[in-house]
């Protein structure tokens, strides 16, 4: 951030009175520009013993597999974000279950939240940001080609809980990026 | 938003190619400025049969009661945000339990997340943003003077679950602001 989005004057990094962290502060109009973590929301949608996965048609991680998920927008709920992303990326209609994974990624200032869900019909097809959208059983999950660590974690929790016959909320935090690739 | 925070040129509201919502787009450098919901995190800290409440020394809702909570910062986890806010607003050290309430407030593009917690000692005192920080039992909660609807909801869930002897995650969404006051 170089300029004030309110008045267009240069900003400088300083700790405002009564604050403890440096912020971008406008030299001219005094506006303090806070920057906050972003929330990514998605769905793990089931159909019989299979789950809905998408192959990414965009960077980062072009060609890798993920659950339908994306940045939450202003003026929507987390649940609405999960429904919207699933419709956009997989063309799929789902019924939402409860929150399943809640993952802090402080190194990239993101929270990833995945809900359990039930696919309502088989009328789905990949959206613009996906190369494929398909149903896969546990034996066919491409474990070496999962796009993000939070998705890998979510899938592993899911199959483990399914074996136990009991699903619970899994919270974790990934403080350090995986070696080699941006995740 | 009137100006590009990257190059200082005017921005205009338009739907970028491949997008479905209007965004602030820079006329000069092309940067798309996304705006996303903010996360507020706090703690419901117990000491014996009492809980830790703060009386606000700032607007909105000056003089009303709340749980220690505030905006999550970049590069911290939700749990770290709850510990930091409790230290800042109540001068209190806590041990964090599990996530207790998760509340969508789409009309103000916020998520409020409150964790259960255990107060570690009685060495606490109000921070700069609080007039008071005190321990209160259920009978003494100032129900008519609670600052925010999400905090009122969290307190009611807590006392109800405590009576049942079983605590669970409560998720809800408040789509419409309460009549009369900003919440």
């Amino acid at each position: 951030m170089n300029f004030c989005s309110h008045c267009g004057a240069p900003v400088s990094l300083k700790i405002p009175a009564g604050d403890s962290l440096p912020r971008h502060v406008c030299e001219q109009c005094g506006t303090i520009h806070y920057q906050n973590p972003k929330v990514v929301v998605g769905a793990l949608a089931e159909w019989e013993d299979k789950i809905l996965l998408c192959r990414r048609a965009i960077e980062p991680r072009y060609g890798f597999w993920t659950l339908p998920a994306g940045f939450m927008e202003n003026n929507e709920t987390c649940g609405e974000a999960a429904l919207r992303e699933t419709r956009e990326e997989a063309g799929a209609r789902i019924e939402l279950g409860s929150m399943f994974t809640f993952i802090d990624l402080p190194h990239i200032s993101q929270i990833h939240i995945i809900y359990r869900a039930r696919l309502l019909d088989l009328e789905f097809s990949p959206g613009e940001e996906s190369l494929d959208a398909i149903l896969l059983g546990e034996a066919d999950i491409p474990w070496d080609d999962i796009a993000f660590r939070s998705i890998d974690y979510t899938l592993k929790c899911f199959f483990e809980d399914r074996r136990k016959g009991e699903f619970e909320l899994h919270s974790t935090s990934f403080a350090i990026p995986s070696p080699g690739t941006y995740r």
Side-chain angles (χ1 to χ4, degrees), chain A:
Chain A
M1 167 168 273
N2 306 307
F3 298 94
C4 175
S5 55
H6 182 64
C7 78
V11 293
S12 58
L13 211 54
K14 60 172 80 165
I15 300 176
D19 204 338
S20 57
L21 289 174
R23 315 283 182 184
H24 291 98
V25 180
C26 178
E27 303 279 9
Q28 185 169 283
C29 73
T31 300
I32 302 169
H33 298 278
Y34 296 96
Q35 292 178 316
N36 301 92
K38 288 185 170 45
V39 181
V40 170
V41 186
L44 190 161
E46 294 176 71
W47 179 271
E48 295 168 356
D49 66 337
K50 297 188 167 66
I51 61 161
L52 180 64
L53 283 173
C54 295
R55 199 154 69 93
R56 289 174 65 83
I58 52 168
E59 294 293 348
R61 309 289 283 163
Y62 179 100
F64 285 74
W65 292 88
T66 188
L67 295 169
F71 287 106
M72 188 178 175
E73 300 277 7
N74 275 355
N75 302 122
E76 70 180 355
T77 65
C78 268
E80 287 166 352
L83 294 175
R84 178 182 51 72
E85 289 291 344
T86 306
R87 200 173 54 241
E88 285 176 8
E89 299 192 350
R93 291 170 58 244
I94 57 171
E95 180 182 76
L96 224 58
S98 59
M99 194 186 294
F100 183 58
T101 52
F102 184 97
I103 303 154
D104 281 293
L105 298 110
H107 59 292
I108 52 171
S109 296
Q110 290 184 4
I111 300 170
H112 292 188
I113 300 173
I114 306 292
Y115 288 83
R116 290 186 63 212
R118 189 173 70 84
L119 194 58
L120 291 176
D121 56 54
L122 292 174
E123 307 300 311
F124 60 88
S125 61
E128 281 187 16
E129 298 186 357
S130 306
L131 299 169
D132 283 313
I134 59 174
L135 288 169
L136 287 173
E138 183 174 4
D140 299 316
I141 301 291
W143 291 109
D144 293 337
D145 296 318
I146 301 297
F148 304 107
R149 194 172 164 196
S150 56
I151 301 301
D152 184 85
Y153 172 79
T154 299
L155 293 171
K156 286 187 171 134
C157 288
F158 173 78
F159 291 118
E160 204 168 300
D161 279 12
R162 192 169 73 173
R163 265 189 293 279
K164 284 186 208 154
E166 194 174 9
F167 292 93
E168 54 174 341
L169 173 65
H170 299 266
S171 294
T172 192
S173 101
F174 297 150
I176 300 161
S178 302
T181 52
Y182 166 83
R183 293 196 176 196

